[in-house]
Amino acid sequence: MNARKVYLDNNATTRMREEVLEAMLPYYKDIYGNASSVHQFGRVARVAIDKAREQVASLLGASAAEEIIFTSGGTESDNFAIKGASHALRHRGNHIITSTIEHSAVLNACRALEKDGSSVTYVPVDGNGLVKADDIRKAISDKTVLVTIMYANNEVGTIEPVEEIGRICKERGVYFHTDAVQAVGKVIFDVKTVGADLLSMSAHKIYGPKGVGAIYIKKGTKIDSIMHGGHHEMNKRAGTENVAGIVGLGKAAELAKKEIVEEVRKLKELRDYFYKGVISNIPHVRLNGDPEKRLPNTLNVGFKYLEGESIILNLDLEGIAASTGSACTSGTLEPSHVLTGMGIDAADAQGSVRFSLGRDNTKEDIDYVLAALPPIIQRLREMSPLYEKGK
Ligand code: PLP
């Protein structure tokens, strides 16, 4: 095994920051009270949760901390937004609009609602993975209650026209939810400008702990709970709060807000340096995703004539971690629904690899990958019958 390790799978998850861990540790040791308890032990935990709520609200640009509800992560936030809003508005209509390239947390929440009698329109995307705001406008009917379109795609990084979609939804009196799990910390935005009524985020994508996230619920938005029980989280999400996790999310949010401008600049520079190196050393490659409207850290490359899985395994032998798509769908061997949704044929979709950079990556890391990758591609192509035919 190679001694060097280069982690380029930051869209799957990130390494927790030291400062975040430090902030969390006391809540695993001495500060163990239940935040709902009235005694001192509980009150200290409550204060910590309230602080984290402020930190997350500030990162997202919410009008008030009370618009933030803590959850177990992006998946729960997506389910809460979609099922909760649909249930609350059932009397008004049963139609939901989403796109074909959403994360499985959104797609499967929509499918679950279809089984319950909702009707769902899946709008297509163009070759760069962009939803056309006009398609949303046309799809809205008097039965539509919710539009859910991701802020940025996890596989190709394409950033959707969320502000335009937000405006359309507002004009038509329809709720707008955006899954911003990949955008938070990588895109500078303010939820009020986006015009979202509901927004999902997750701590482990922003150098925080796994298993904790948040949902922004704009004041006045009608939403039913999906988790029933006690009066936690302003009666919206029952269950004893994960105090340490929430404190970690708050700290990660505070750091993300402080550092985002420099972080975005650095990631983009390194990502573009990487791609330049790839195209100047490897023939028959294509960039998947929008060349401009894209997350600063994400590079999804199609290597013609190859299987992404074998590239990943060979990179792994060199200590390099990348992925063929979303961590939630890898292992299925199906071509990515995101890439096929963009009109890429199944064979080219299978030969695509996602490299997602993070704050720990250096130019030396990228140089190491740029030295390892071309011979891997060359070797695999020489073994590929598709390559022989295509030559
Ligand atoms: N939505 C998007 C766009 C994601 O990338 C992910 C994670 O991969 C999720 C939702 C799910 O978030 P979590 O892992 O916190 O459940």
Side-chain angles (χ1 to χ4, degrees):
M1 278 290 268
N2 202 288
R4 189 166 187 127
K5 295 232 183 306
V6 180
Y7 184 76
L8 298 181
D9 203 10
N10 286 275
N11 285 8
T13 196
T14 58
R15 170 186 162 131
M16 194 157 75
R17 290 179 69 151
E18 207 60 47
E19 303 95 310
V20 171
L21 180 62
E22 284 301 316
M24 291 170 70
L25 283 176
Y27 298 89
Y28 282 124
K29 292 182 180 169
D30 304 324
I31 313 176
Y32 52 83
N34 183 323
S36 301
S37 302
V38 294
H39 47 63
Q40 252 184 55
F41 293 79
R43 289 201 309 270
V44 179
R46 170 60 50 205
V47 167
I49 291 179
D50 288 345
K51 178 176 170 196
R53 211 183 298 284
E54 296 279 354
Q55 287 164 318
V56 173
S58 163
L59 174 65
L60 300 181
S63 301
E66 292 68 38
E67 294 179 319
I68 306 300
I69 298 295
F70 294 112
T71 66
S72 65
T75 300
E76 185 188 325
S77 296
D78 285 343
N79 273 269
F80 187 7
I82 296 166
K83 294 174 184 170
S86 303
H87 287 161
L89 300 177
R90 215 6 96 78
H91 61 285
R92 270 189 37 201
N94 66 345
H95 180 228
I96 301 163
I97 299 169
T98 189
S99 84
T100 53
I101 64 160
E102 300 294 313
H103 189 270
S104 47
V106 166
L107 289 176
N108 288 336
C110 287
R111 285 182 193 129
L113 285 173
E114 279 180 300
K115 282 195 191 141
D116 271 355
S118 287
S119 113
V120 181
T121 299
Y122 298 86
V123 297
V125 294
D126 70 11
N128 289 348
L130 281 168
V131 169
K132 284 190 207 69
D134 214 40
D135 285 349
I136 305 280
R137 192 193 304 278
K138 286 181 194 144
I140 295 177
S141 74
D142 55 0
K143 291 270 180 291
T144 311
V145 288
L146 176 74
V147 171
T148 171
I149 298 291
M150 68 202 321
Y151 200 127
N153 183 269
N154 45 306
E155 292 190 29
V156 293
T158 297
I159 298 174
E160 300 299 344
V162 284
E163 287 187 19
E164 212 181 331
I165 297 170
R167 266 196 306 277
I168 293 169
C169 290
K170 192 161 187 204
E171 271 165 36
R172 304 289 295 271
V174 170
Y175 281 168
F176 176 42
H177 165 246
T178 187
D179 173 345
V181 167
Q182 293 293 345
V184 172
K186 300 178 204 143
V187 180
I188 301 165
F189 73 86
D190 181 308
V191 71
K192 296 189 286 299
T193 315
V194 171
D197 301 287
L198 299 153
L199 178 146
S200 306
M201 69 165 296
S202 177
H204 74 103
K205 311 286 186 179
I206 60 165
Y207 311 98
K210 293 167 184 58
V212 58
I215 178 171
Y216 159 84
I217 305 176
K218 190 168 122 192
K219 192 166 180 283
T221 304
K222 293 187 175 56
I223 186 162
D224 284 356
S225 297
I226 58 168
M227 196 76 94
H228 303 283
H231 299 295
H232 313 87
E233 292 296 286
M234 292 160 273
N235 274 329
K236 291 194 169 79
R237 196 272 187 183
T240 300
E241 293 89 344
N242 170 5
V243 183
I246 289 169
V247 166
L249 167 56
K251 187 70 190 174
E254 180 198 301
L255 294 168
K257 179 168 167 132
K258 207 187 298 171
E259 297 170 9
I260 190 163
V261 174
E262 177 56 16
E263 188 70 10
V264 166
R265 189 199 62 74
K266 193 194 118 186
L267 285 170
K268 191 168 179 305
E269 190 177 299
L270 208 53
R271 193 253 339 247
D272 292 345
Y273 172 73
F274 184 19
Y275 187 54
K276 261 197 201 127
V278 169
I279 49 172
S280 44
N281 290 300
I282 306 174
H284 311 298
V285 293
R286 59 169 285 161
L287 175 71
N288 295 320
D290 194 278
E292 297 299 326
K293 295 174 195 136
R294 189 160 45 111
L295 290 175
N297 75 320
T298 305
L299 180 61
N300 189 309
V301 182
F303 297 94
K304 213 164 169 55
Y305 313 119
L306 294 183
E307 285 279 339
E309 290 294 327
S310 42
I311 304 172
I312 298 300
L313 293 175
N314 278 272
L315 285 171
D316 190 35
L317 292 174
E318 303 289 341
I320 300 162
S323 88
T324 48
S326 123
C328 308
T329 48
S330 68
T332 59
L333 292 180
E334 289 287 307
S336 144
H337 73 283
V338 174
L339 298 176
T340 53
M342 287 162 55
I344 297 172
D345 70 37
D348 285 349
Q350 297 274 25
S352 294
V353 175
R354 176 186 72 183
F355 302 95
S356 47
L357 282 62
R359 63 187 299 281
D360 294 331
N361 292 132
T362 60
K363 183 167 172 292
E364 288 70 36
D365 285 344
I366 301 304
D367 286 335
Y368 175 73
V369 181
L370 286 173
L373 188 59
I376 291 176
I377 300 296
Q378 177 64 21
R379 203 169 56 240
L380 291 173
R381 279 191 177 149
E382 275 160 16
M383 294 189 292
S384 161
L386 293 172
Y387 185 51
E388 276 309 308
K389 268 193 239 147
K391 257 207 293 201

